[in-house]
Amino acid sequence: MRNRSVTLIFVSLVLWAVVTYFIFLDQPVGKDQDKVDKLSNQISRLEKKVKQQIIINQELLEGLNENKRRKKQYEKSSAAQLPIDETEKDKYKKHENNNVKSILLKKIEDSNARNKPTHDTILPDEPVHDVTSVQKLPDGSPVIAILVVSCNRITVERCLDQLIKLRPSKEQFPIVVSQDCDHRQTADVIARYGNQLLHIKQPDQSDIDIPPKEKKFRGYFKIARHYKWALNQVFVKLGYNTAIIVEDDLDVAPDFYEYFLGTYPLLVNDSSLWCVSAWNDNGKANLVDEHAPHLLYRTDFFPGLGWMLTRDLWLELAPKWPKSYWDDWVRQPEQRKNRACIRPEISRTRTFGKLGVSNGLFFEKHLKYIKLNEQFVPFTKMNLSYLLKDNYDIAFVNDVYQSTVVSYSELKSGNIVAPGPVRIPYYTRQSFKNTSKLLGLMDDFRSGVPRSGYRGVVTFFYNGRRVHLAPSANWSGYDITWS
């Protein structure tokens, strides 16, 4: 294996040398100089890619050597490990027997099998974990890592207690807690969970070079740096193909895992989707139908706050990951590329972290009123194919623009004779904001997209009715200047 990697590095170097020779030692002159300059720029880019490939090959070689060494160590130590707790064995066996694959999941090809994980120990003092088979369970069900992003909150135990209590299988949902800040008390809390999770620590605690005008936003720079490191550990070092990101200040619903298992086939089969989120930005108790916890939607707005992504998406985003404000960066058209997320009618997460880098921004006014789902919905037994883009868009547009047009005053008073959903039109940024404030919706835009919006439409529940706050039927796309 070492010889193969060394050969790759040698071939890359030879290729670079040969190309450089023909460009710089055999240059034409005179009229062809412009062509040479253009070709030289192309070679410079090629040279950069070759150097990057050399670095990747070196890291791969180191990872393979470490993998081999750790595998031997694990084989020696496994014989000395204590027997698995019988209760845990029974719990997992029961899960295996009762597991029912969703309708869409049965159609998935084993496309993830080609990605072999690389085993690596994040820190020297971490226990050895066997991650040689992290893609699927023996019955074909997906393995989905739970990445808990932590810093200096000892209340992370509230989040971890719920994640561990509710998860149907330790094998299917391995929990990785990535801690930044080097906070001893928080580290001690996480350490108490032992082998129920993997605790990794961000090694880079150095100061970040921040523009003078943004010094007070230092926390956002550290968060972006931590996210990049943590996601690289999960997808590149540990080799998982799918992960759910959970912040350390989130409560989770009883069907949190069921929700992500049920929507997983959508994410991997529909290329127009790039995430599944547990969060509804307009999920206040008076804006959702509490009798419809099964309802799911597509949204052009990236919700975050408990969301699932794939390794392929991370490998796309990682090379250009920003130094700060990563969530708003993700919402930019250059990253989103007209892709959507799945979001629920009733949120499957709720934040209890009033204090943080945002200093309680939106919490008192909005976040603390978000309703957390309390009913278990068997998503894996439901046909969710209506959420696939080809099915969803036609039905959605028909539902929105065939609904009765009403004013805010009519909606509030309840004096509407027509049954079914209704629509409140908006035509300008200001009219949207004015109506949103009256209804209690979040009225801001990110890269021109309103929160929970799809094709410019914000759908919610009000006074016992489904309501669409919608642009004109000939809507042509988001206006980034509305942000």
Side-chain angles (χ1 to χ4, degrees):
M1 192 67 69
R2 175 188 293 271
N3 291 338
R4 185 182 305 170
S5 300
V6 171
T7 300
L8 285 173
I9 296 171
F10 178 73
V11 170
S12 300
L13 288 171
V14 170
L15 175 62
W16 176 40
V18 170
V19 173
T20 303
Y21 170 80
F22 280 105
I23 293 304
F24 295 104
L25 296 185
D26 194 24
Q27 292 183 357
V29 294
K31 296 180 180 179
D32 294 333
Q33 188 59 42
D34 290 340
K35 294 182 179 179
V36 171
D37 291 341
K38 187 178 295 184
L39 188 56
S40 178
N41 290 333
Q42 293 176 348
I43 294 303
S44 296
R45 289 195 293 268
L46 178 61
E47 176 185 348
K48 184 177 180 181
K49 289 183 178 179
V50 169
K51 289 181 178 179
Q52 290 175 342
Q53 187 61 48
I54 291 173
I55 293 173
I56 292 172
N57 289 340
Q58 290 173 335
E59 291 179 349
L60 177 61
L61 177 60
E62 293 173 1
L64 291 171
N65 291 336
E66 182 67 11
N67 181 34
K68 186 176 181 180
R69 186 177 69 82
R70 288 295 180 182
K71 186 175 180 181
K72 290 181 179 179
Q73 181 181 346
Y74 176 77
E75 289 172 350
K76 292 180 180 179
S77 61
S78 61
Q81 291 178 349
L82 293 174
I84 299 175
D85 181 72
E86 290 301 321
T87 303
E88 193 67 26
K89 286 174 63 178
D90 291 342
K91 182 179 179 182
Y92 176 56
K93 188 172 181 181
K94 181 180 179 182
H95 167 77
E96 274 195 319
N97 293 336
N98 294 338
N99 182 58
V100 180
K101 296 182 180 179
S102 69
I103 295 174
L104 284 173
L105 187 55
K106 295 176 182 178
K107 301 178 181 179
I108 296 179
E109 297 292 336
D110 191 12
S111 59
N112 292 334
R114 66 183 184 276
N115 295 317
K116 296 295 183 181
T118 300
H119 177 64
D120 196 2
T121 300
I122 311 305
L123 291 176
D125 58 349
E126 292 295 342
V128 177
H129 290 259
D130 183 10
V131 290
T132 55
S133 299
V134 296
Q135 310 308 336
K136 291 184 180 296
L137 295 178
D139 67 353
S141 300
V143 172
I144 304 174
I146 309 297
L147 172 61
V148 181
V149 181
S150 176
C151 181
N152 58 1
R153 288 191 180 105
I154 60 173
T155 50
V156 65
E157 67 178 339
R158 173 170 165 176
C159 175
L160 293 177
D161 283 347
Q162 294 176 46
L163 287 172
I164 292 172
K165 177 182 177 181
L166 294 171
R167 70 174 168 181
S169 165
K170 177 181 176 181
E171 289 74 15
Q172 185 166 29
F173 294 101
I175 297 174
V176 180
V177 183
S178 180
Q179 186 191 355
D180 199 2
C181 308
D182 198 24
H183 190 247
R184 185 69 260 171
Q185 290 85 348
T186 301
D188 289 343
V189 168
I190 299 169
R192 291 204 296 264
Y193 289 89
N195 64 4
Q196 295 182 89
L197 51 79
L198 173 61
H199 182 194
I200 61 178
K201 300 174 184 176
Q202 155 71 304
D204 187 0
Q205 298 296 316
S206 62
D207 289 334
I208 301 177
D209 186 20
I210 301 173
K213 293 183 179 180
E214 299 186 80
K215 292 289 185 182
K216 62 180 180 180
F217 302 119
R218 180 182 302 273
Y220 291 103
F221 286 77
K222 289 187 175 181
I223 288 173
R225 180 174 68 179
H226 183 201
Y227 263 76
K228 182 175 184 178
W229 180 84
L231 285 165
N232 270 330
Q233 303 309 305
V234 168
F235 288 118
V236 180
K237 295 293 184 181
L238 294 175
Y240 292 107
N241 269 356
T242 313
I244 301 168
I245 302 175
V246 179
E247 286 82 0
D248 60 357
D249 61 347
L250 292 182
D251 290 323
V252 298
D255 60 351
F256 174 84
Y257 292 101
E258 177 75 2
Y259 169 71
F260 283 109
L261 269 181
T263 53
Y264 168 84
L266 297 169
L267 183 62
V268 299
N269 280 299
D270 187 346
S271 61
S272 69
L273 291 173
W274 70 330
C275 92
V276 175
S277 174
W279 182 259
N280 177 2
D281 277 288
N282 289 308
K284 295 179 183 178
N286 64 325
L287 293 174
V288 298
D289 184 353
E290 296 188 17
H291 301 292
H294 63 283
L295 286 182
L296 306 179
Y297 302 85
R298 294 175 68 99
T299 176
D300 295 321
F301 190 89
F302 170 73
L305 292 174
W307 57 288
M308 179 167 64
L309 74 161
T310 64
R311 183 176 186 268
D312 287 343
L313 177 63
W314 174 244
L315 294 180
E316 173 192 327
L317 298 178
K320 53 180 181 175
W321 192 253
K323 293 184 177 180
S324 63
Y325 317 118
W326 70 267
D327 48 352
D328 282 338
W329 174 83
V330 161
R331 293 167 179 144
Q332 294 173 358
E334 295 82 2
Q335 280 65 253
R336 190 171 70 83
K337 298 179 180 178
N338 293 318
R339 292 174 291 192
C341 295
I342 298 297
R343 62 95 174 170
E345 170 80 4
I346 305 177
S347 292
R348 264 58 185 187
T349 57
R350 179 178 58 197
T351 178
F352 58 82
K354 178 179 179 180
L355 299 179
V357 293
S358 61
N359 295 317
L361 183 65
F362 293 136
F363 188 86
E364 287 297 331
K365 183 179 178 181
H366 181 81
L367 297 180
K368 75 176 184 179
Y369 299 107
I370 296 293
K371 178 176 176 58
L372 182 67
N373 180 58
E374 299 174 353
Q375 303 178 47
F376 186 93
V377 177
F379 287 108
T380 58
K381 298 179 182 179
M382 297 170 59
N383 186 350
L384 302 180
S385 59
Y386 71 91
L387 290 162
L388 296 171
K389 182 176 177 62
D390 291 343
N391 300 332
Y392 189 88
D393 283 8
I394 296 175
F396 180 77
V397 170
N398 287 338
D399 287 345
V400 171
Y401 293 101
Q402 290 179 8
S403 59
T404 303
V405 175
V406 300
S407 66
Y408 166 72
S409 58
E410 290 175 320
L411 178 65
K412 184 176 181 181
S413 65
N415 295 327
I416 303 173
V417 178
V422 296
R423 170 166 49 103
I424 300 179
Y426 74 88
Y427 302 101
T428 66
R429 175 180 181 274
Q430 195 56 50
S431 66
F432 175 90
K433 293 179 75 69
N434 291 342
T435 305
S436 294
K437 288 179 179 178
L438 291 172
L439 292 164
L441 299 167
M442 294 196 77
D443 66 341
D444 60 328
F445 296 84
R446 291 293 186 270
S447 294
V449 185
R451 292 181 184 267
S452 77
Y454 188 68
R455 297 178 59 89
V457 181
V458 174
T459 299
F460 57 99
F461 199 74
Y462 193 91
N463 270 3
R465 281 184 183 267
R466 181 66 54 199
V467 185
H468 305 293
L469 181 57
S472 62
N474 61 351
W475 177 83
S476 59
Y478 295 107
D479 185 346
I480 196 170
T481 64
W482 283 26
S483 297

